Amino acid sequence: MRPSPRRRFPAIATILVGTVFGQGLVVAISPLLTRLYTPSDFGTLAVVTAVASILGAGATLGTDRAVLVAHDTVTTRSLVVLGLLATLAVGAGTAGVTWALREDAARWFTAPALEDLWWTIPVTVVVVGAQRIASAVLARRQQHRSIAVRNACQGIGQSVWNLAMAAAGPIGLVGGLAVGRIAALLGMARLRRTTGAPLSARTLSAAARHHRRFLVITPWSSMLNVIGQQAPGLLIAAVHGSVAAGFVALTMRVLGAPVGMIADATAQYAAGAFGLRIRSGDPVRHLVVRLVVRLATAGALAALVVVVLGPAVFSTVFGSEWAVSGTYAQILVPAFAIQVAASPVTQVLSMVHRQGAQLTWDVVRLVLSATAVLVPSALGAPMPVVLVTLASAMSLSYAVVLVLVLRAARIHDAGTAPKSPM
């Protein structure tokens, strides 16, 4: 049965309230953080965020996507256990590698703090993976208030740590990533327990076999998806240094916060709504189109504001030395506007078993974004030119994925349409 149309926007609004409260606090303290931490600290934050987000996305083995479309409780529980075990294993492996490469990593990214803070990467990997799985369970159950509490707790935990630990140096900024997600997990501690027979190796194996496309393809797709998002920052840090990366990181942080709040709230609602429709054999294309149109409208209006006021706002709010980030924001905001419309619905591809299309797009997006940074940088182009090419690559990529999603939704809906009598 389809969810009542009355619940759609209240559900999104409920999630958005928690998201705005949590992530809005992160944005609100940014002017303080730019005065408490250096551009180099922000560059280190960009590196840790990128690496931990990439590995955390793959650590779940795609179980966070499979949970949304699993048809029974035993399979769902089995997928959760498999995901948590895989996340712990990846975290342990990451700890060994980052410890061994701590000196090299600090040199590669010109971020000396990484030599001492290497351990923040595996810790963040584990909590990112665990949070993805727990969030998928909440989305499956359409527990929108719990999702809102989770989002609020994450922002509050991260912000409190950033401010309280400023005197401790870069750990006060970098450590907030893991602390915020731990706070989010604690906020989900009231997650409803399921009852049933204890899981066995046979049930775990059966769940893995039935959802093998998720386990085999989705982890690579998820990691490549995050790499495509984080690669520009990593490459800018490696080619242009941590100071330049710090200016870009602030731009990404300020633009990404509202985009993330809206897109994340919509995606969390949409995950449950799409999952229910797919499990019930109902069409999904109409919901895809409605979400994209509304998000595109909001994104276009926000982009206009940034283009007009970007440098003045950055200079006033963050300090005159950060005015360049405002110029960067003017360049990148059109791409972010397209991203906010596309990102919440991209999950449809894997949910309707188009993992191959998702993986192909993730590879192409990564190649385009990496090329957009490396080629102009190798030619000696200044940072604004590099960002223009990056924004163009991002815009093209998200336009393409919208076409893929709409096509996949149309094919899915055609398969669910009732057959006409002979």
Side-chain angles (χ1 to χ4, degrees):
M1 180 180 297
R2 297 183 189 177
S4 169
R6 295 180 184 178
R7 296 178 57 192
R8 184 183 304 120
F9 296 112
I12 295 177
T14 298
I15 298 171
L16 189 57
V17 167
T19 304
V20 169
F21 189 80
Q23 294 305 307
L25 182 59
V26 173
V27 174
I29 68 169
S30 292
L32 290 175
L33 299 185
T34 56
R35 290 165 172 82
L36 293 172
Y37 298 99
T38 67
S40 180
D41 293 337
F42 276 91
T44 302
L45 172 66
V47 173
V48 174
T49 299
V51 175
S53 298
I54 291 165
L55 296 178
T60 66
L61 291 184
T63 54
D64 52 317
R65 285 280 182 259
V67 160
L68 295 167
V69 296
H71 284 281
D72 59 78
T73 303
V74 172
T75 301
T76 301
R77 292 169 56 209
S78 299
L79 290 169
V80 169
V81 171
L82 287 171
L84 292 175
L85 291 174
T87 297
L88 290 174
V90 171
T94 302
V97 172
T98 52
W99 180 83
L101 298 178
R102 63 193 186 281
E103 295 179 359
D104 294 327
R107 185 177 66 257
W108 292 337
F109 298 108
T110 60
L114 281 178
E115 186 172 350
D116 294 324
L117 299 181
W118 63 270
W119 55 271
T120 61
I121 295 178
V123 170
T124 308
V125 166
V126 172
V127 294
V128 166
Q131 184 187 23
R132 289 174 69 101
I133 295 169
S135 297
V137 174
L138 292 180
R140 175 187 173 87
R141 297 172 178 172
Q142 296 187 306
Q143 293 178 307
H144 304 122
R145 291 184 180 178
S146 296
I147 294 173
V149 171
R150 183 212 76 169
N151 295 346
C153 289
Q154 179 174 334
I156 293 171
Q158 179 177 334
S159 299
V160 169
W161 178 271
N162 289 158
L163 294 175
M165 297 295 293
I171 184 60
L173 190 63
V174 177
L177 294 171
V179 172
R181 284 160 176 77
I182 292 171
L185 288 170
L186 293 176
M188 291 186 282
R190 292 179 299 173
L191 194 68
R192 188 179 68 220
R193 294 183 179 180
T194 56
T195 57
L199 298 176
S200 64
R202 179 176 298 179
T203 57
L204 295 177
S205 177
R209 286 197 307 271
H210 186 72
H211 294 87
R212 58 185 175 276
R213 284 182 63 83
F214 285 94
L215 274 65
V216 172
I217 300 176
T218 301
W220 302 105
S221 179
S222 297
M223 286 191 293
L224 284 170
N225 187 278
V226 179
I227 290 173
Q229 297 173 23
Q230 302 294 340
L234 285 174
L235 292 174
I236 288 172
V239 176
H240 296 274
S242 61
V243 174
F247 286 117
V248 176
L250 179 64
T251 303
M252 296 289 193
R253 181 187 181 100
V254 174
L255 291 181
V259 167
M261 284 188 278
I262 296 172
D264 188 55
T266 307
Q268 289 171 81
Y269 159 75
F274 286 136
L276 179 60
R277 282 165 169 75
I278 291 167
R279 296 195 304 270
S280 303
D282 290 336
V284 299
R285 189 175 184 275
H286 184 62
L287 178 58
V288 170
V289 172
R290 181 162 40 234
L291 290 175
V292 169
V293 169
R294 292 179 181 274
L295 289 170
T297 302
L301 293 174
L304 181 61
V305 173
V306 173
V307 168
V308 173
L309 301 176
V313 170
F314 271 76
S315 180
T316 301
V317 175
F318 301 111
S320 58
E321 69 273 21
W322 295 92
V324 66
S325 292
T327 302
Y328 293 169
Q330 290 177 310
I331 298 171
L332 291 171
V333 72
F336 276 84
I338 300 175
Q339 179 184 352
V340 76
S343 59
V345 300
T346 56
Q347 59 191 315
V348 169
L349 289 175
S350 62
M351 294 172 72
V352 298
H353 303 287
R354 293 292 186 273
Q355 289 95 338
Q358 175 74 64
L359 179 59
T360 301
W361 177 79
D362 288 322
V363 171
V364 172
R365 197 265 298 265
L366 173 59
V367 171
L368 284 176
S369 61
T371 302
V373 172
L374 292 176
V375 170
S377 297
L379 295 175
M383 185 58 65
V385 175
V386 174
L387 295 181
V388 166
T389 60
L390 175 60
S392 301
M394 290 172 61
S395 299
L396 176 62
S397 298
Y398 283 110
V400 169
V401 81
L402 278 176
V403 174
L404 293 175
V405 169
L406 290 171
R407 181 176 179 274
R410 178 175 55 80
I411 294 172
H412 171 270
D413 291 359
T416 62
K419 304 295 183 180
S420 57
M422 297 295 292

